[in-house]
Amino acid sequence: MKKYISIYLMFAFIPVAVALEHLRPDAHVLIFFTAALSIIPIARLISQSTENLAHYTGEAVGGLLNATFGNFPEFVIILMALQAGLHQMVLASLIGAILANLLLALGVSFFLGGLKYHSQEYNPVSSRIYATMMFIAVISMVVPSAFNRLFGGADIMREEYALNIGISAVLLVTYILYLVFMIKTHPDFFKSTELKKEPEAPEKPESHWSISRAIISLIAASLLAAWMSEILVGSAEATGKSLGMTTTFIGLIILAIVGGAAESLSAISMARKNKMDLTLSIALGSCIQIALLIAPLAVLMSFFIGPNPIQLAFGRVELGCLFMAVLMGIMVASDGKSNWYKGVQLITIYAIIAILFYFMPE
Amino acid sequence: MKKYISIYLMFAFIPVAVALEHLRPDAHVLIFFTAALSIIPIARLISQSTENLAHYTGEAVGGLLNATFGNFPEFVIILMALQAGLHQMVLASLIGAILANLLLALGVSFFLGGLKYHSQEYNPVSSRIYATMMFIAVISMVVPSAFNRLFGGADIMREEYALNIGISAVLLVTYILYLVFMIKTHPDFFKSTELKKEPEAPEKPESHWSISRAIISLIAASLLAAWMSEILVGSAEATGKSLGMTTTFIGLIILAIVGGAAESLSAISMARKNKMDLTLSIALGSCIQIALLIAPLAVLMSFFIGPNPIQLAFGRVELGCLFMAVLMGIMVASDGKSNWYKGVQLITIYAIIAILFYFMPE
Amino acid sequence: MKKYISIYLMFAFIPVAVALEHLRPDAHVLIFFTAALSIIPIARLISQSTENLAHYTGEAVGGLLNATFGNFPEFVIILMALQAGLHQMVLASLIGAILANLLLALGVSFFLGGLKYHSQEYNPVSSRIYATMMFIAVISMVVPSAFNRLFGGADIMREEYALNIGISAVLLVTYILYLVFMIKTHPDFFKSTELKKEPEAPEKPESHWSISRAIISLIAASLLAAWMSEILVGSAEATGKSLGMTTTFIGLIILAIVGGAAESLSAISMARKNKMDLTLSIALGSCIQIALLIAPLAVLMSFFIGPNPIQLAFGRVELGCLFMAVLMGIMVASDGKSNWYKGVQLITIYAIIAILFYFMPE
């Protein structure tokens, strides 16, 4: 517990961010980074509440809750951006979050875990399922983007909206069935390799929160996240310009790392404890949820909130990076073993992509 | 035997289709669907004859015969379309048949098989070979298409024809060597997992046809297929327009499902019997044959029949879908195991592609 | 030893090439082919010296030395071309060498090895690492190329150079860490399957060279290679034109096969001896080094030698072929087994690519 106190000290950034926004509304950069930093302890609180809740709900549902609430800040950011009509920012959040989880969070986990253990193992069956889900996610983003680029125009707007709605509906059904598969019919496929080998090791029992404390923490943290995310989005564009970074770089790299910091940190700490199955389920489960739940929800909700509906029309560069990243992730993470160099490989791809976005003109 | 009677009742569509074509030549939609429906029992008869023939020729040759004659209707459709100069229809048939076999037939097989069995197994060695063949198939279609799109033009027509002929020749050699590999040198790689575990289970013996009955049925069915296919192709374009569907959608989705119904049905029924190796050899073997035998044959024959030679110049969207579908198929079907959710994943991709083709402007 | 005498007789081509260059400087075709042929025995000498050296340095370092010095001729060709400002030739050398190693050398090895053995085995762990490295290589070439094609122009030249330098630096770090991983921390992952099964078989001892003979041979051969490569590059362009071949075809196919002949030959001979792990480490290790060491070195050095810095801006066709080839290589070579038909599959892809380059207009 003690080790998280330093993170929780960062809650102090919340009042600072709020104060700055009211007293110095032009200090975009300062507001942006203060709000960004304040997201970290909030996200940590969400993830910790979820982990505690999981003791009462079981591992599969717990992992799902972790992913769901861990993605809550991203979801709020996306909702805010939708309402403000900042469609480019929504798209960047989606892609950025996937890249950060898949390459950076998993890469650092493999790397730091691998520095401690010669070779780490995880369930290859579940990791192959994650891999295939990631690939479906890519296809579901490539198809409407290609449609937009090849045929898009005012005269076929109706068809394009219909296409986006149709694909979103299909994805939601696929995601719900994925939950049925994972929780109901095939939970055995998602057991950790450790648990298969031996009956649950009698771990040194951590002191768990009560269920009510866990739930209340979760709700409070989610509300805080929504608030800070709103401030963050409000100052993002101006910040980008004043720092000389492109909107693309801010959205795809900086925001994504900040927004996903909580999951990333817990994925990494699980890897250091040699609990690689949890690492994978956090990092990849989060990607899958963003692509197959949050993205289609964003499309469907955009017909009700915001100035006009969003289309999943990603740019070629973003899609190319996503495609490469997913293929890379699949290649690296589907044989049930990891080591420090696999981490280097994933981080290398992330570095190449970050360099690309850094130098890419608007 | 009894259970197929209902399918064989559909033979009644043959005279109806012929009658309609002569009496009401303008009723394109009616002619189209009657002819399409009449293909189903014919294809079933072809597949049943082949299965019976396989009792005399052995499993490997039997699977090959099934694929060969199961693809006969597609082959006839392609020949008719070549003769009529409908090159777009030929290309659509090729892509559509592969997508339908790889995603829909295999997906429904995995799904329905998986509803009955928790997890089904098949030979991972042969499925990896199928996967690689599928990937060669994709490359062999991407290369001439890219050539056409990037360099195509009247002034380099000669080179383009030469490229198509060259690649077709290479593919035919590759396919012949594949047969040698499968039948002659490495039949052990294609044994079903079941057979490896136990000496051939003493199945309840079905009453087999005599070899002469099997051969005669096969020839008769093939002739019928050719006849109906001609009617089908003749009415396809007009039908598309009157139903408000695009030619693309008709060709790539409707025709493909109808034309491949027989194989699909037998692949599915094998999955329900937990004979997954047969399911894979039918669904994937058929794809492989279309891409590596029928496509190059169509190219070479187009120099002798039809108004002008065909080039394998697929559109970017079609190729993209094919590429995604094959990668997806490889990912899902190369670890030797299946379950209902793998079926959902394949069907999801097919649904996304179908939605795309539905809304795609001509 | 005797069997290599015929190769060493080809040293006679060296004086012929030199003489021709001085006496008949216009006989480009003759000079080109004489110089090309003279590279073969030189490369063989390099590879043989390296193998002998490896007896003193151990297997892992030995394999590395083989790849390093086996790639020396390519490196020299690239340096010469950089100095002459022939950037297209540099890019073609890089892609061509990878394609030739990955598809042709490995394909012929699998094919000829497979004719002798029903099924051959190698370490699937190391081959998966090679596969991932190959994929990183592809991404590292796709990213700057896409940048150049989508955004390239005089006004963002600075950013493009920075991007190339940044990616090159990342790749060099990744490659150095790869060496650390392979040699220092995880040499157990790269042990051959054979060695795992049994303690080193007491082979019939070949007579080894002394360490000083090995080193001197190596240096001498490398100098010869540099010399001949200079003559080769000097006559390549004129040769291409007079033979009616395109520069692309010469660079990507002919030069690549000639330049890589030595490694290819040793990879094949190892396959015939059923030492598949050596085959893979030569063929794939060489590809990895070209992409992750030589390419970034070429970029960085081009700021100091040659008229202007090079950018890794490959054409779409070249990149497409590379991408397909690497996916194919990964699919074929990552399950730890090979047979003659896997060789056919790889050669098929090489043949399709060669046909494409042959007919492709400039």
Side-chain angles (χ1 to χ4, degrees):
Chain A
M1 208 75 282
K2 293 251 170 71
K3 58 198 290 201
Y4 299 126
I5 286 179
S6 52
I7 287 185
Y8 286 134
L9 285 178
M10 294 173 74
F11 274 125
F13 285 110
I14 296 181
V16 178
V18 176
L20 279 172
E21 207 204 7
H22 284 93
L23 303 177
R24 296 187 48 198
D26 292 337
H28 296 298
V29 182
L30 210 59
I31 295 172
F32 177 79
F33 281 104
T34 325
L37 287 170
S38 77
I39 292 266
I40 294 174
I42 298 174
R44 172 71 217 159
L45 182 57
I46 289 177
S47 124
Q48 207 174 357
S49 316
T50 313
E51 276 175 75
N52 277 280
L53 204 56
H55 288 290
Y56 303 97
T57 59
E59 191 175 317
V61 179
L64 178 66
L65 289 174
N66 186 308
T68 308
F69 289 103
N71 278 331
F72 198 78
E74 279 95 337
F75 189 54
V76 175
I77 292 181
I78 286 170
L79 278 192
M80 300 294 156
L82 268 185
Q83 214 159 27
L86 298 170
H87 288 182
Q88 285 312 311
M89 176 165 279
V90 174
L91 299 182
S93 295
L94 293 170
I95 295 267
I98 293 174
L99 293 177
N101 273 301
L102 183 58
L103 297 176
L104 194 62
L106 199 62
V108 174
S109 298
F110 279 3
F111 180 71
L112 292 180
L115 289 185
K116 207 165 159 187
Y117 302 92
H118 187 69
S119 177
Q120 300 185 287
E121 301 214 346
Y122 46 87
N123 185 344
V125 174
S126 60
S127 62
R128 263 199 293 272
I129 297 166
Y130 297 144
T132 321
M133 294 307 279
M134 293 301 314
F135 195 67
I136 293 179
V138 170
I139 295 180
S140 73
M141 293 179 165
V142 166
V143 167
S145 307
F147 190 92
N148 178 274
R149 194 158 55 80
L150 294 177
F151 314 112
D155 52 323
I156 83 158
M157 205 61 117
R158 263 180 87 87
E159 280 80 4
E160 196 168 348
Y161 285 141
L163 177 89
N164 275 278
I165 293 172
I167 291 176
S168 297
V170 168
L171 292 182
L172 287 180
V173 171
T174 304
Y175 189 75
I176 290 165
L177 291 175
Y178 167 68
L179 298 183
V180 171
F181 180 72
M182 190 167 73
I183 297 168
K184 275 268 172 192
T185 71
H186 289 66
D188 53 315
F189 279 26
F190 293 83
K191 286 241 172 71
S192 72
T193 45
E194 214 183 331
L195 292 175
K196 277 185 181 163
K197 275 180 282 178
E198 41 180 337
E200 176 105 31
E203 246 174 53
K204 187 141 45 86
E206 289 179 32
S207 60
H208 298 317
W209 296 358
S210 71
I211 191 163
S212 57
R213 182 181 168 193
I215 291 175
I216 291 171
S217 304
L218 200 49
I219 295 173
S222 304
L223 290 174
L224 280 176
W227 190 15
M228 288 302 111
S229 300
E230 200 187 355
I231 296 178
L232 194 63
V233 169
S235 61
E237 244 188 325
T239 304
K241 277 170 199 152
S242 55
L243 280 188
M245 288 173 183
T246 61
T247 321
T248 315
F249 186 77
I250 298 257
L252 284 166
I253 304 294
I254 304 296
L255 266 180
I257 293 176
V258 169
E263 293 119 281
S264 302
L265 291 175
S266 44
I268 292 164
S269 79
M270 294 306 155
R272 295 289 290 177
K273 293 177 188 168
N274 207 16
K275 296 184 173 177
M276 294 310 289
D277 283 294
L278 265 170
T279 297
L280 267 96
S281 81
I282 294 171
L284 298 185
S286 179
C287 290
I288 291 168
Q289 198 176 52
I290 289 166
L292 301 183
L293 179 65
I294 294 183
L297 278 181
V299 169
L300 297 180
M301 287 188 310
S302 73
F303 284 86
F304 304 103
I305 62 175
N308 54 336
I310 194 172
Q311 290 146 4
L312 293 180
F314 297 95
R316 270 185 291 179
V317 175
E318 287 83 354
L319 279 184
C321 289
L322 181 68
F323 183 65
M324 295 287 186
V326 167
L327 282 191
M328 184 73 192
I330 289 170
M331 229 172 272
V332 166
S334 64
D335 67 343
K337 274 161 203 159
S338 71
N339 53 62
W340 70 267
Y341 194 69
K342 281 199 173 184
V344 169
Q345 292 178 318
L346 290 170
I347 297 168
T348 296
I349 302 302
Y350 196 71
I352 290 176
I353 291 176
I355 291 173
L356 171 63
F357 289 140
Y358 189 82
F359 290 113
M360 203 168 90
E362 301 276 350
Chain B
M1 208 76 282
K2 294 248 169 73
K3 59 197 290 201
Y4 299 125
I5 286 178
S6 53
I7 287 185
Y8 286 133
L9 286 178
M10 294 174 74
F11 273 125
F13 285 109
I14 296 181
V16 178
V18 176
L20 278 172
E21 207 204 7
H22 284 93
L23 302 176
R24 296 187 48 199
D26 292 336
H28 296 298
V29 180
L30 211 58
I31 295 173
F32 177 79
F33 282 105
T34 325
L37 287 170
S38 77
I39 292 266
I40 295 175
I42 298 174
R44 171 71 216 159
L45 182 57
I46 289 177
S47 125
Q48 208 175 356
S49 316
T50 313
E51 276 176 74
N52 276 281
L53 203 56
H55 288 289
Y56 303 96
T57 59
E59 191 175 315
V61 179
L64 178 66
L65 289 174
N66 185 309
T68 308
F69 288 103
N71 278 330
F72 198 78
E74 280 96 337
F75 188 55
V76 173
I77 292 181
I78 286 169
L79 278 193
M80 299 295 158
L82 269 186
Q83 213 159 28
L86 298 170
H87 287 182
Q88 286 311 311
M89 177 165 279
V90 174
L91 299 182
S93 296
L94 293 171
I95 295 266
I98 294 174
L99 293 176
N101 272 302
L102 183 58
L103 297 176
L104 194 62
L106 200 60
V108 174
S109 298
F110 280 3
F111 181 71
L112 293 180
L115 290 185
K116 207 164 161 188
Y117 302 92
H118 186 70
S119 177
Q120 299 184 289
E121 302 215 345
Y122 47 87
N123 185 344
V125 174
S126 59
S127 63
R128 263 199 293 273
I129 296 167
Y130 297 144
T132 321
M133 293 308 279
M134 294 300 314
F135 194 67
I136 292 179
V138 170
I139 295 179
S140 73
M141 294 179 165
V142 166
V143 166
S145 307
F147 189 93
N148 178 273
R149 192 156 57 78
L150 295 177
F151 315 111
D155 51 323
I156 81 159
M157 205 61 116
R158 261 181 87 86
E159 279 82 3
E160 197 169 347
Y161 285 140
L163 176 90
N164 275 277
I165 293 172
I167 291 177
S168 297
V170 169
L171 292 182
L172 288 180
V173 171
T174 304
Y175 189 75
I176 290 166
L177 291 174
Y178 167 68
L179 297 183
V180 172
F181 180 72
M182 192 168 74
I183 297 169
K184 274 269 170 191
T185 70
H186 289 66
D188 52 316
F189 280 25
F190 292 85
K191 286 240 172 73
S192 72
T193 47
E194 215 183 330
L195 292 176
K196 276 184 180 165
K197 276 180 283 178
E198 41 182 337
E200 178 103 30
E203 246 174 53
K204 188 143 41 86
E206 288 179 34
S207 60
H208 298 317
W209 296 358
S210 72
I211 191 164
S212 59
R213 180 179 169 195
I215 290 176
I216 291 171
S217 305
L218 200 47
I219 295 173
S222 304
L223 290 174
L224 279 176
W227 190 14
M228 288 303 111
S229 300
E230 199 187 354
I231 297 179
L232 194 62
V233 170
S235 61
E237 244 186 325
T239 304
K241 277 171 199 153
S242 55
L243 280 187
M245 288 173 183
T246 60
T247 321
T248 315
F249 186 78
I250 297 257
L252 284 166
I253 304 293
I254 304 296
L255 264 181
I257 294 176
V258 170
E263 293 119 281
S264 303
L265 292 175
S266 46
I268 293 164
S269 79
M270 293 307 155
R272 295 289 292 178
K273 293 177 189 168
N274 208 16
K275 295 185 174 178
M276 294 310 290
D277 284 293
L278 266 170
T279 297
L280 267 98
S281 82
I282 293 170
L284 299 185
S286 178
C287 290
I288 291 167
Q289 199 177 52
I290 290 165
L292 301 183
L293 179 65
I294 295 183
L297 278 181
V299 169
L300 297 181
M301 288 187 309
S302 74
F303 284 85
F304 304 102
I305 61 175
N308 54 337
I310 194 171
Q311 290 146 5
L312 293 180
F314 297 96
R316 270 185 292 179
V317 175
E318 287 81 357
L319 277 184
C321 290
L322 181 69
F323 183 65
M324 296 287 187
V326 167
L327 282 190
M328 184 72 192
I330 289 169
M331 231 172 272
V332 166
S334 64
D335 67 345
K337 276 164 201 156
S338 71
N339 53 64
W340 70 266
Y341 194 69
K342 282 197 173 185
V344 170
Q345 292 179 317
L346 290 171
I347 297 168
T348 296
I349 302 302
Y350 196 71
I352 291 177
I353 291 175
I355 291 172
L356 171 63
F357 288 140
Y358 189 83
F359 289 113
M360 204 167 90
E362 301 274 350
Chain C
M1 207 74 284
K2 294 248 169 74
K3 58 197 289 201
Y4 299 125
I5 286 179
S6 53
I7 288 186
Y8 286 134
L9 285 178
M10 296 174 72
F11 273 124
F13 285 109
I14 297 181
V16 178
V18 176
L20 279 172
E21 206 204 8
H22 285 91
L23 303 177
R24 297 188 46 200
D26 291 336
H28 296 299
V29 181
L30 210 60
I31 296 172
F32 177 79
F33 281 104
T34 325
L37 287 171
S38 77
I39 293 263
I40 294 175
I42 299 175
R44 172 71 216 159
L45 182 58
I46 289 178
S47 123
Q48 208 175 356
S49 316
T50 313
E51 277 176 71
N52 278 280
L53 205 56
H55 288 289
Y56 304 96
T57 59
E59 193 174 314
V61 179
L64 178 67
L65 289 174
N66 185 309
T68 309
F69 289 102
N71 278 331
F72 198 78
E74 279 96 337
F75 188 56
V76 174
I77 291 181
I78 286 169
L79 278 192
M80 299 295 157
L82 268 186
Q83 214 158 25
L86 298 170
H87 288 181
Q88 286 312 311
M89 175 164 278
V90 174
L91 300 181
S93 296
L94 293 171
I95 294 266
I98 294 174
L99 293 176
N101 273 302
L102 183 58
L103 296 176
L104 194 62
L106 200 61
V108 174
S109 298
F110 279 4
F111 181 70
L112 292 181
L115 289 186
K116 206 164 160 188
Y117 302 93
H118 187 70
S119 176
Q120 300 184 288
E121 302 214 344
Y122 46 87
N123 185 345
V125 175
S126 60
S127 62
R128 265 200 292 273
I129 296 167
Y130 296 143
T132 322
M133 294 307 279
M134 293 301 313
F135 194 67
I136 292 179
V138 169
I139 296 180
S140 73
M141 293 180 166
V142 166
V143 166
S145 306
F147 189 93
N148 178 273
R149 195 157 55 79
L150 295 177
F151 314 112
D155 51 323
I156 80 159
M157 205 61 117
R158 261 180 88 87
E159 279 81 1
E160 196 169 347
Y161 285 140
L163 177 90
N164 274 278
I165 293 172
I167 291 176
S168 297
V170 168
L171 292 182
L172 287 180
V173 171
T174 303
Y175 189 75
I176 289 165
L177 291 174
Y178 167 69
L179 297 183
V180 171
F181 180 71
M182 191 167 74
I183 297 168
K184 274 269 172 192
T185 72
H186 289 65
D188 52 316
F189 280 26
F190 294 84
K191 287 241 172 72
S192 71
T193 46
E194 213 183 331
L195 292 175
K196 277 183 180 165
K197 276 180 281 180
E198 41 181 336
E200 176 105 31
E203 246 172 54
K204 187 139 46 86
E206 288 178 33
S207 60
H208 300 316
W209 296 359
S210 72
I211 191 165
S212 57
R213 182 180 168 194
I215 291 176
I216 291 171
S217 304
L218 201 48
I219 296 174
S222 305
L223 291 174
L224 279 177
W227 191 17
M228 288 302 112
S229 300
E230 200 187 356
I231 295 178
L232 194 62
V233 170
S235 61
E237 247 187 323
T239 304
K241 277 170 199 153
S242 55
L243 280 187
M245 289 174 181
T246 60
T247 320
T248 315
F249 186 77
I250 297 258
L252 284 166
I253 304 294
I254 304 296
L255 265 180
I257 294 176
V258 170
E263 294 120 279
S264 303
L265 291 175
S266 44
I268 292 165
S269 79
M270 294 305 155
R272 295 289 291 178
K273 293 178 189 168
N274 207 16
K275 295 184 173 177
M276 294 309 289
D277 284 293
L278 265 170
T279 298
L280 267 96
S281 82
I282 294 171
L284 298 184
S286 179
C287 289
I288 291 168
Q289 198 176 50
I290 289 166
L292 301 183
L293 179 65
I294 294 183
L297 279 181
V299 169
L300 297 180
M301 287 188 310
S302 73
F303 284 86
F304 304 103
I305 60 173
N308 54 336
I310 194 171
Q311 290 147 4
L312 292 180
F314 297 95
R316 270 186 288 180
V317 175
E318 287 83 355
L319 277 184
C321 290
L322 182 68
F323 183 65
M324 296 287 186
V326 167
L327 282 190
M328 184 72 192
I330 289 170
M331 229 172 272
V332 166
S334 63
D335 67 345
K337 275 163 202 156
S338 71
N339 53 62
W340 70 267
Y341 194 69
K342 282 198 172 185
V344 170
Q345 293 179 316
L346 290 170
I347 296 168
T348 296
I349 302 303
Y350 196 71
I352 291 177
I353 291 175
I355 291 173
L356 170 63
F357 288 138
Y358 189 82
F359 290 113
M360 202 167 91
E362 301 275 350

